[in-house]
Amino acid sequence: MLHGGARRSQYGEVCEAIFLTQGFVYETAEDAEQRLDRFLKRRYEHLRQGQIEKWCRKGALRLDGTRCKASTRIFEGQELRMPPRPVVTEQFSDALKKSTFARNSASDTRLMLSAVIYKDDDLLVLNKPAGIPTQGGSKQTRHIDGLSDALRFGYKEKPRLVHRLDKDTSGVLLLARSRRVAHDLTEAFRHRATRKIYWAAVAGVPVPKMGSIKYGLQKACGRGARGEGEKMETVFPGDVESIKGAKRAQSDYIVVSALAKRTAWVALEPVTGRKHQLRAHMAAIGHPIIGDGKYGGSGKENLGDGWGAQLGGMISRKLHLHARFIQFEHPTLKKTVSFSADLPPHMTESWKYFQWHLKDAPDDPFNLGADVW
């Protein structure tokens, strides 16, 4: 195989050129169409997700001469250019491995083990706690991907993420225990062959009580000097095609129960899978999710007019959004399986306060024969 060699990029800095031959990219059939970040981290163990994301943002990583994302899938015959990697001595490598495992404290290990809902030879299903990011990034050092070393259960490699949940969103999260299963599950998500149902408490009561939200979404830079606090903006469906970077999105909802006109328990199904989709869509129709300071206003208290992300009193200020249910075809068993996750403590307390009973809602209320708008 041919790889390596120093070159200068169009910006003048020296970069390393890697020619992706079959033997280099795909060591086994399970490696087919793998993500760029997973390819790099597997081969260069000192690299961290945050560094890869930074390289992508700055254009330091180039695939066939063009900018790429950490999630870009690589194929045989492509050329990858990246900044020169620092020399990793055997001593440094050993220290790195020790520090990686050291990050998993006893309490973190217990937390991860207690989050496991289901385990077999192919996959793990977790009930992700609220407040922990799914994956590392800028200033994120404690996350599910890093802590998943505690979930090897005798395997040589830690399980792999196949999808994400926002930091403050709790609930069902899938991890694959091999590259082949990760590939199959990722394809299922990409082709919308999975069903995901979320539960949320929202400000006010949506009217009608069952419907679809079809606003497109585009990125809007945050107020920080480097775009920190980035969020999504909604776009009128008819304008999506004419706005660069805008993407179509659809979220279905059903009101399960309501507390007068002040708040409602809703079931949400993201038909598409855009960043912050459910949060941005609910805010766009005037019913932000309780505790969502980014889209509902951190300082706005709901006074009964259907707006404001905080209810005050005894109600937690944490985000009230939970991935309750998932259904998909098991990649090995080839049969439909489904899993549900219990509510996090702060949502459990809110549900008790509002006297909302879990038995009032099936895991999948969208599969009851009702026509969703």
Side-chain angles (χ1 to χ4, degrees):
M1 67 185 175
L2 173 66
H3 69 280
R7 300 187 176 185
R8 288 194 176 273
S9 73
Q10 60 180 324
Y11 301 106
E13 70 269 29
V14 175
C15 62
E16 181 179 1
I18 301 174
F19 300 94
L20 304 177
T21 64
Q22 183 174 3
F24 190 64
V25 181
Y26 310 143
E27 294 180 0
T28 69
E30 294 180 355
D31 289 329
E33 299 181 26
Q34 63 185 304
R35 287 167 53 115
L36 174 61
D37 54 356
R38 291 171 185 162
F39 166 80
L40 291 173
K41 287 194 290 184
R42 184 181 171 202
R43 284 158 178 78
Y44 312 123
E45 60 182 12
H46 65 287
L47 283 180
R48 291 291 174 260
Q49 184 71 25
Q51 180 64 66
I52 297 172
E53 297 279 358
K54 183 178 180 180
W55 281 347
C56 289
R57 288 195 302 271
K58 292 187 172 183
L61 282 176
R62 297 270 169 167
L63 195 61
D64 288 339
T66 62
R67 297 173 72 103
C68 51
K69 298 180 179 179
S71 59
T72 299
R73 298 192 175 272
I74 60 176
F75 300 90
E76 177 186 355
Q78 293 181 306
E79 181 188 57
L80 174 65
R81 295 189 182 184
M82 58 184 290
R85 294 167 288 109
V87 176
V88 182
T89 64
E90 183 177 349
Q91 181 180 6
F92 176 80
S93 180
D94 291 341
L96 178 68
K97 291 178 180 178
K98 291 179 181 179
S99 67
T100 298
F101 284 101
R103 285 203 303 270
N104 283 12
S105 64
S107 60
D108 280 339
T109 298
R110 288 194 297 269
L111 175 69
M112 293 298 290
L113 293 175
S114 67
V116 176
I117 299 173
Y118 172 83
K119 172 175 69 73
D120 65 21
D121 292 339
D122 301 301
L123 55 88
L124 298 170
V125 184
L126 306 185
N127 184 358
K128 173 189 158 319
I132 301 179
T134 303
Q135 198 168 30
S138 179
K139 299 181 181 180
Q140 299 291 349
T141 58
R142 182 174 178 266
H143 45 81
I144 297 296
D145 189 33
L147 299 178
S148 62
D149 268 314
L151 304 178
R152 292 173 183 257
F153 296 110
Y155 278 42
K156 291 183 179 179
E157 297 183 0
K158 68 178 186 179
R160 296 165 169 79
L161 296 169
V162 295
H163 66 120
R164 301 181 186 183
L165 294 176
D166 290 346
K167 175 182 176 180
D168 296 320
T169 302
S170 58
V172 178
L173 184 69
L174 297 184
L175 287 83
R177 304 188 74 184
S178 70
R179 287 184 294 280
R180 178 187 59 80
V181 172
H183 172 264
D184 291 346
L185 290 174
T186 300
E187 287 297 298
F189 277 95
R190 184 188 301 176
H191 294 101
R192 303 178 189 173
T194 60
R195 302 201 67 237
K196 295 180 290 182
I197 309 298
Y198 291 71
W199 283 359
V202 303
V205 182
V207 176
K209 292 188 176 181
M210 181 169 61
S212 282
I213 308 167
K214 297 182 178 180
Y215 287 110
L217 294 171
Q218 66 174 343
K219 289 184 178 180
C221 290
R223 297 180 179 180
R226 298 184 179 179
E228 296 90 351
E230 182 183 82
K231 59 189 294 186
M232 304 302 288
E233 287 183 337
T234 53
V235 177
F236 187 74
D239 296 334
V240 171
E241 298 297 334
S242 61
I243 297 178
K244 183 179 180 180
K247 296 181 179 179
R248 295 195 178 278
Q250 179 180 338
S251 303
D252 295 340
Y253 72 86
I254 291 178
V255 175
V256 177
S257 187
L259 183 63
K261 294 183 179 181
R262 194 174 187 198
T263 186
W265 167 10
V266 297
L268 300 164
E269 180 176 13
V271 178
T272 53
R274 312 302 184 196
K275 180 179 180 180
H276 295 177
Q277 177 178 312
L278 298 178
R279 298 165 62 185
H281 271 175
M282 294 310 298
I285 65 170
H287 300 285
I289 296 171
I290 299 303
D292 192 349
K294 182 181 288 288
Y295 292 94
S298 58
K300 296 181 180 178
E301 185 172 332
N302 184 328
L303 300 177
D305 58 356
W307 179 258
Q310 304 301 336
L311 294 179
M314 298 176 61
I315 305 305
S316 171
R317 297 179 66 87
K318 294 181 179 179
L319 183 69
H320 284 57
L321 179 62
H322 177 72
R324 169 66 176 181
F325 173 83
I326 193 167
Q327 184 180 77
F328 58 94
E329 183 182 89
H330 193 288
T332 301
L333 302 178
K334 300 302 180 184
K335 68 177 184 180
T336 300
V337 293
S338 59
F339 303 94
S340 58
D342 293 338
L343 291 174
H346 72 280
M347 290 182 67
T348 297
E349 291 301 314
S350 296
W351 259 237
K352 289 180 180 178
Y353 185 83
F354 299 140
Q355 297 185 29
W356 290 340
H357 305 290
L358 301 185
K359 61 181 178 61
D360 292 340
D363 285 332
D364 187 359
F366 298 93
N367 195 27
L368 299 178
D371 293 327
V372 179
W373 293 21

